[in-house]
Amino acid sequence: MIDPKILEDFGAKMSALLANSPARDIEKNSKALLSGLLAKLDVVTREEFDVQASVLARTREKLKDLEARVEALEKARQG
Protein backbone atom coordinates (compact mmCIF):
# COMPACT_ATOMS: atom_id res chain seq x y z
CA MET A 1 0.00 0.00 0.00
CA ILE A 2 1.20 3.52 -0.79
CA ASP A 3 2.04 5.73 2.14
CA PRO A 4 -0.22 8.87 2.23
CA LYS A 5 2.84 10.96 3.14
CA ILE A 6 4.44 10.05 -0.19
CA LEU A 7 1.31 11.15 -2.05
CA GLU A 8 1.23 14.44 -0.13
CA ASP A 9 4.89 15.09 -0.90
CA PHE A 10 4.33 14.25 -4.56
CA GLY A 11 1.32 16.59 -4.72
CA ALA A 12 3.26 19.40 -3.07
CA LYS A 13 6.17 18.96 -5.48
CA MET A 14 3.84 18.94 -8.49
CA SER A 15 2.11 22.09 -7.27
CA ALA A 16 5.44 23.83 -6.81
CA LEU A 17 6.58 22.68 -10.23
CA LEU A 18 3.42 23.97 -11.92
CA ALA A 19 3.59 27.26 -10.03
CA ASN A 20 7.12 27.83 -11.33
CA SER A 21 6.46 26.57 -14.85
CA PRO A 22 6.80 28.67 -17.99
CA ALA A 23 3.03 28.41 -18.47
CA ARG A 24 2.53 30.48 -15.30
CA ASP A 25 4.95 33.13 -16.61
CA ILE A 26 3.20 33.17 -19.98
CA GLU A 27 -0.16 33.66 -18.27
CA LYS A 28 1.18 36.49 -16.12
CA ASN A 29 2.85 38.21 -19.09
CA SER A 30 -0.26 37.81 -21.25
CA LYS A 31 -2.43 39.43 -18.59
CA ALA A 32 0.00 42.33 -18.27
CA LEU A 33 0.10 42.78 -22.04
CA LEU A 34 -3.67 42.70 -22.34
CA SER A 35 -4.07 45.18 -19.49
CA GLY A 36 -1.60 47.51 -21.22
CA LEU A 37 -3.45 47.27 -24.51
CA LEU A 38 -6.81 47.96 -22.88
CA ALA A 39 -5.34 50.97 -21.08
CA LYS A 40 -4.16 52.37 -24.42
CA LEU A 41 -7.63 51.88 -25.89
CA ASP A 42 -9.03 54.07 -23.11
CA VAL A 43 -11.88 51.69 -22.30
CA VAL A 44 -13.91 51.79 -19.09
CA THR A 45 -15.26 49.07 -16.89
CA ARG A 46 -18.92 48.12 -17.04
CA GLU A 47 -19.38 49.56 -13.55
CA GLU A 48 -17.96 52.94 -14.61
CA PHE A 49 -20.17 52.91 -17.71
CA ASP A 50 -23.29 52.17 -15.66
CA VAL A 51 -22.49 54.98 -13.23
CA GLN A 52 -22.04 57.46 -16.05
CA ALA A 53 -25.24 56.27 -17.75
CA SER A 54 -27.11 56.87 -14.50
CA VAL A 55 -25.63 60.37 -14.14
CA LEU A 56 -26.60 61.15 -17.73
CA ALA A 57 -30.17 59.96 -17.17
CA ARG A 58 -30.53 62.18 -14.08
CA THR A 59 -29.04 65.13 -15.97
CA ARG A 60 -31.49 64.65 -18.83
CA GLU A 61 -34.40 64.63 -16.37
CA LYS A 62 -33.18 67.85 -14.73
CA LEU A 63 -32.74 69.46 -18.15
CA LYS A 64 -36.25 68.44 -19.14
CA ASP A 65 -37.64 69.96 -15.92
CA LEU A 66 -35.66 73.18 -16.39
CA GLU A 67 -36.83 73.51 -20.00
CA ALA A 68 -40.43 73.18 -18.83
CA ARG A 69 -39.89 75.84 -16.15
CA VAL A 70 -38.28 78.23 -18.63
CA GLU A 71 -41.14 77.71 -21.05
CA ALA A 72 -43.69 78.39 -18.28
CA LEU A 73 -41.85 81.56 -17.23
CA GLU A 74 -41.70 82.78 -20.83
CA LYS A 75 -45.45 82.22 -21.25
CA ALA A 76 -46.19 84.03 -17.97
CA ARG A 77 -44.00 86.95 -19.02
CA GLN A 78 -45.73 87.24 -22.40
CA GLY A 79 -49.27 86.77 -21.06
Side-chain angles (χ1 to χ4, degrees), residues 6-43:
I6 292 173
L7 290 176
E8 287 177 18
D9 289 343
F10 179 74
K13 288 179 182 178
M14 288 300 293
S15 294
L17 180 65
L18 290 175
N20 296 325
S21 72
R24 181 74 171 151
D25 290 338
I26 291 170
E27 179 184 357
K28 190 186 316 179
N29 292 337
S30 298
K31 286 182 180 180
L33 178 65
L34 185 58
S35 294
L37 289 173
L38 290 175
K40 288 181 182 178
L41 291 175
D42 200 26
V43 295

Side-chain angles (χ1 to χ4, degrees), residues 22-73:
R24 181 74 171 151
D25 290 338
I26 291 170
E27 179 184 357
K28 190 186 316 179
N29 292 337
S30 298
K31 286 182 180 180
L33 178 65
L34 185 58
S35 294
L37 289 173
L38 290 175
K40 288 181 182 178
L41 291 175
D42 200 26
V43 295
V44 296
T45 64
R46 183 66 195 190
E47 182 180 346
E48 291 171 316
F49 178 83
D50 290 342
V51 167
Q52 290 302 314
S54 176
V55 169
L56 180 59
R58 286 193 312 266
T59 303
R60 285 182 176 160
E61 283 298 315
K62 286 183 180 181
L63 178 60
K64 186 177 173 183
D65 292 342
L66 289 173
E67 287 174 337
R69 287 178 62 189
V70 168
E71 185 178 338
L73 288 172

